[in-house]
């Protein structure tokens, strides 16, 4: 009955054009960062080179926050650099924060092991103390949420990327996983991001060192993890009320955690609502939260042009090459492709007219991991948020909102977008995607089983 009563109002809100409103995010506090202190790095090789350069030159602090620091050549190269920097500068504070669960398991599909934490302990035993590596348990189990904060703070520099640290992200052996890479030189922003993790992570009983001989069990930490999770939902970065001068860009770091009162989610939705003419969405997995899908539909009805770039099925990091044994995790890329097919079919009129452009990225056997937004010519969002239901409600996320009313960064953003499109193809029609009838037999069988019991929706939310 209530739904019937409210139906006319809900229908009107969907059909009527947006009310004109002030530019979204205008009330956010911010750091005033000179535009020439913000750089866009072109590729994974430049990211690796800049990260190692910053570590080698560090004099006061190195605070690295990432999903994982892998036990492979890329991860060891970074650890070697951290220990070398500490040896050169004994007073240097070096802290690394990784996801607690991800650090203590082997790779999916591989034999059971002590995970990356074994490498951390081996380095400490061989080279001694000085590099503190912490595991951050956002949830009791990895399936229900991980540490997905991003940002490498080295002295007064913030190197921000959605990339983790391993061979493929650091393009160590030919193959790469493409992300976005931005360098912001600003002491206040660096202090806020480093200060947050030092104050709230190191100060929590749930966050424990991983490169020590005795590591507590997850079970013993469950009360502390519960308390930590409740605290995270109340936290935010400390950001001043600054004034924007000529030549400066407003940069706001935001935190996001939980289904409700999630500041990052709320600001992203507000920014999307405020789009005037043009929106570019970057996401590695086409699995948009419902609120985002609804807003995209409203923007299209309003006449905005939307470009969405996503990785081709073969550029997904869950891709299993032909000839290798099929694993259930490989089903995900087919689920994402089905999501994309439904979206394109639902908006085929806008696709045909060029108002909606879906770009599929593919470059050989490399993979795609881009996230973020470009809104009109004056707002950009740098984030590790995958713009999927898991990021929206389970993982601990962050992002940087860049507001640029004077269009000082427009040339850099246009160059970044042009470079990304070099390996992308516009999807002209949903029929250009592989038909589900041509999927491998194991995939067709699993998809039928999931669809029969509606488990595909649950999988989309969790993975």
């Amino acid at each position: 009955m209530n739904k019937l009563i409210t139906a006319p109002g809900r229908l009107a809100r969907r059909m009527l054009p947006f009310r004109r409103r002030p530019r979204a995010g205008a009330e956010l506090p911010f750091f005033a960062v000179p535009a020439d202190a913000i750089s866009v790095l072109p590729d994974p090789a430049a990211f690796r080179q800049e990260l190692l350069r910053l570590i080698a030159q560090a004099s006061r602090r190195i605070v690295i926050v990432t999903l994982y620091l892998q036990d492979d050549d890329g991860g060891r190269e970074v650890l070697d650099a951290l220990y070398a920097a500490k040896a050169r500068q004994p007073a240097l504070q070096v802290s690394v924060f990784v996801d607690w669960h991800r650090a203590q398991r082997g790779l999916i599909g591989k034999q059971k092991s002590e995970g990356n934490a074994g490498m951390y302990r081996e380095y400490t035993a061989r080279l001694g103390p000085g590099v503190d590596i912490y595991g951050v348990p956002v949830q009791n189990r990895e399936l229900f949420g991980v540490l997905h904060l991003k940002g490498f703070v080295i002295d007064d520099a913030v190197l921000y990327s959605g990339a983790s640290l391993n061979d493929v992200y650091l393009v160590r052996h030919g193959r790469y996983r493409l992300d976005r890479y931005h360098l912001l030189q600003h002491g206040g922003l660096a202090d806020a991001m480093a200060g947050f993790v030092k104050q709230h992570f190191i100060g929590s009983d749930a966050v424990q060192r991983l490169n020590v001989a005795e590591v507590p069990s997850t079970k013993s930490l469950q009360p502390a993890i519960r308390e930590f999770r409740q605290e995270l939902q109340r936290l935010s970065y400390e950001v001043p009320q600054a004034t924007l001068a000529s030549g400066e860009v407003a940069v706001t770091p935001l935190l996001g955690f939980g289904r409700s009162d999630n500041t990052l989610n709320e600001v992203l939705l507000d920014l999307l609502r405020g789009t005037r003419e043009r929106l570019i969405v970057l996401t590695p997995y086409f699995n948009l939260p419902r609120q985002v899908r609804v807003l995209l539909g409203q923007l299209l009805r309003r006449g905005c042009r939307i470009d969405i770039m996503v990785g081709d099925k073969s550029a997904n990091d869950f891709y299993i090459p032909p000839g290798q044994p099929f694993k259930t995790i490989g089903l995900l890329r087919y689920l994402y492709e089905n999501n994309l097919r439904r979206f394109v079919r639902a908006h085929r009129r806008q696709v045909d007219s060029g108002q909606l452009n879906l770009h599929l990225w593919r470059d050989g056997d490399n993979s795609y991991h881009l996230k973020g937004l470009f809104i009109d010519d004056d707002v950009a969002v740098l984030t590790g948020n995958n713009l999927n239901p898991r990021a929206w409600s389970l993982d601990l996320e962050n992002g940087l909102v860049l507001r640029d009313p004077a269009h000082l960064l427009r040339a850099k953003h246009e160059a970044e977008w042009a470079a990304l499109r070099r390996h992308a193809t516009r999807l002209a029609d949903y029929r250009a995607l592989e038909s589900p009838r041509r999927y491998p037999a194991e995939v067709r069988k699993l998809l039928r089983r999931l669809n029969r019991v509606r488990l595909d929706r649950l999988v989309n939310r969790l993975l």
Side-chain angles (χ1 to χ4, degrees), residues 216-224:
S217 67
T218 302
K219 184 176 181 180
S220 70
L221 293 176
Q222 285 185 358

Side-chain angles (χ1 to χ4, degrees), residues 154-436:
I154 303 173
D155 291 340
D156 287 340
V158 176
L159 182 58
Y160 194 93
S161 174
S164 291
L165 299 173
N166 70 354
D167 282 347
V168 68
Y169 281 115
L170 298 172
V171 66
R172 277 300 306 267
H173 299 296
R175 291 184 62 247
Y176 68 86
R177 181 166 297 152
L178 185 67
D179 213 291
R180 302 177 70 200
Y181 320 98
H182 293 80
L183 179 64
L184 300 92
Q185 299 276 0
H186 191 270
L189 177 64
D191 289 344
M193 299 185 72
F196 176 88
V197 295
K198 285 197 167 187
Q199 179 181 351
H200 299 295
F201 287 3
I202 297 177
S204 171
D205 292 335
V207 178
Q208 299 286 327
R209 287 271 304 278
L210 288 168
N211 57 336
V212 294
E214 297 294 330
V215 177
S217 67
T218 302
K219 184 176 181 180
S220 70
L221 293 176
Q222 285 185 358
I225 295 173
R226 189 179 308 113
E227 182 179 342
F228 182 53
R229 188 165 61 243
Q230 292 170 353
E231 181 186 8
L232 287 173
Q233 293 179 319
R234 300 189 295 266
L235 297 178
S236 61
Y237 291 105
E238 294 186 7
V239 184
Q241 292 285 351
T243 301
L244 205 61
S246 176
E248 292 179 334
V249 174
V251 179
T252 303
L254 295 170
L255 194 73
F257 184 63
R259 291 180 175 83
S260 60
D261 298 324
N262 186 311
T263 303
L264 179 60
N265 290 357
E266 291 170 359
V267 171
L268 290 179
L269 292 174
D270 196 37
L271 290 171
L272 289 172
R273 291 187 192 100
T275 303
R276 297 186 298 265
E277 297 179 355
R278 178 79 186 280
L279 170 66
I280 298 173
V281 179
L282 307 172
T283 178
Y285 318 117
F286 197 84
N287 186 22
L288 299 173
R290 180 182 178 278
Q291 302 99 311
V292 175
R293 294 199 313 272
V294 169
L295 272 175
L296 293 183
Q298 292 174 343
L299 290 174
L300 288 170
R301 288 193 291 275
R302 181 177 162 185
C304 295
R305 176 179 172 180
I306 298 178
D307 288 78
I308 303 175
M309 182 176 285
V310 66
D312 179 83
K313 184 165 75 258
S314 64
N316 190 289
D317 49 1
F318 298 111
Y319 177 64
I320 299 174
Q324 293 190 13
F326 178 78
K327 300 181 181 66
T328 306
I329 195 70
L331 181 69
L332 289 178
R333 63 193 182 100
Y334 296 98
L335 284 172
Y336 299 145
E337 185 174 69
N338 281 338
N339 293 341
L340 179 61
R341 180 182 294 103
R342 286 192 291 268
F343 185 82
V344 175
R345 288 187 66 175
H347 298 288
R348 52 184 175 270
R349 181 173 61 83
Q350 291 91 345
V351 172
D352 291 343
S353 70
Q355 182 191 0
L356 174 62
N357 299 282
L358 283 302
H359 306 269
L360 294 182
W361 186 96
R362 182 176 183 179
D363 181 21
D365 61 349
N366 301 297
S367 51
Y368 173 98
H369 201 243
L370 302 182
K371 314 101 183 290
L373 303 172
F374 296 103
I375 301 173
D376 296 320
D377 288 327
D378 54 0
V379 176
V381 177
L382 317 179
T383 184
N385 190 309
N386 289 316
L387 296 179
N388 64 358
R390 179 183 177 93
W392 217 246
S393 59
L394 298 178
D395 296 338
L396 177 61
E397 304 279 357
N398 69 353
L400 302 178
V401 175
L402 279 57
R403 285 169 292 144
D404 178 25
H407 302 160
L408 302 171
L409 299 177
R410 179 163 58 185
K412 294 178 183 179
H413 293 327
E414 288 178 349
E416 182 184 8
W417 176 232
L420 295 176
R421 296 200 310 275
R422 281 204 297 265
H423 294 294
T425 302
R426 183 182 184 273
L427 185 64
D429 186 84
Y430 73 90
R431 297 181 186 86
L433 297 169
E434 183 180 11
S435 169

Side-chain angles (χ1 to χ4, degrees), residues 26-174:
E27 70 284 356
L28 290 174
F30 59 85
F31 293 98
V33 180
D36 57 8
I38 301 175
S39 305
V40 181
L41 306 183
D43 53 41
F47 167 64
R48 172 188 169 207
Q49 181 180 5
E50 186 64 21
L51 175 61
L52 295 176
R53 184 190 72 81
L54 289 171
I55 291 173
Q57 295 180 358
S59 61
R60 294 186 292 112
R61 64 181 173 196
I62 299 175
V63 181
I64 289 178
V65 186
T66 186
L67 176 60
Y68 57 84
L69 173 63
Q70 190 74 32
D71 183 6
D72 60 13
D73 291 340
R76 287 178 176 268
E77 181 179 42
V78 173
L79 262 186
D80 288 339
L82 294 175
Y83 275 95
K86 179 66 176 180
R88 285 191 299 270
Q89 295 278 355
L92 183 67
Q93 300 296 311
V94 184
S95 303
V96 180
F97 299 88
V98 297
D99 181 71
W100 169 264
H101 303 287
R102 179 69 174 79
Q104 297 183 84
R105 66 161 172 83
L107 296 173
I108 293 176
K110 304 297 183 181
Q111 64 183 22
K112 187 175 181 180
S113 73
E114 58 181 350
N116 300 322
M119 176 184 69
Y120 307 156
R121 289 190 282 273
E122 181 266 320
Y123 264 76
T124 300
R126 177 163 51 88
L127 299 176
V131 175
D132 299 331
I133 304 180
Y134 296 88
V136 183
V138 171
Q139 305 280 2
N140 290 329
R141 296 185 180 181
E142 183 181 357
L143 177 64
F144 300 123
V146 296
L147 172 75
H148 217 242
L149 289 192
K150 305 297 178 181
F152 310 115
V153 178
I154 303 173
D155 291 340
D156 287 340
V158 176
L159 182 58
Y160 194 93
S161 174
S164 291
L165 299 173
N166 70 354
D167 282 347
V168 68
Y169 281 115
L170 298 172
V171 66
R172 277 300 306 267
H173 299 296

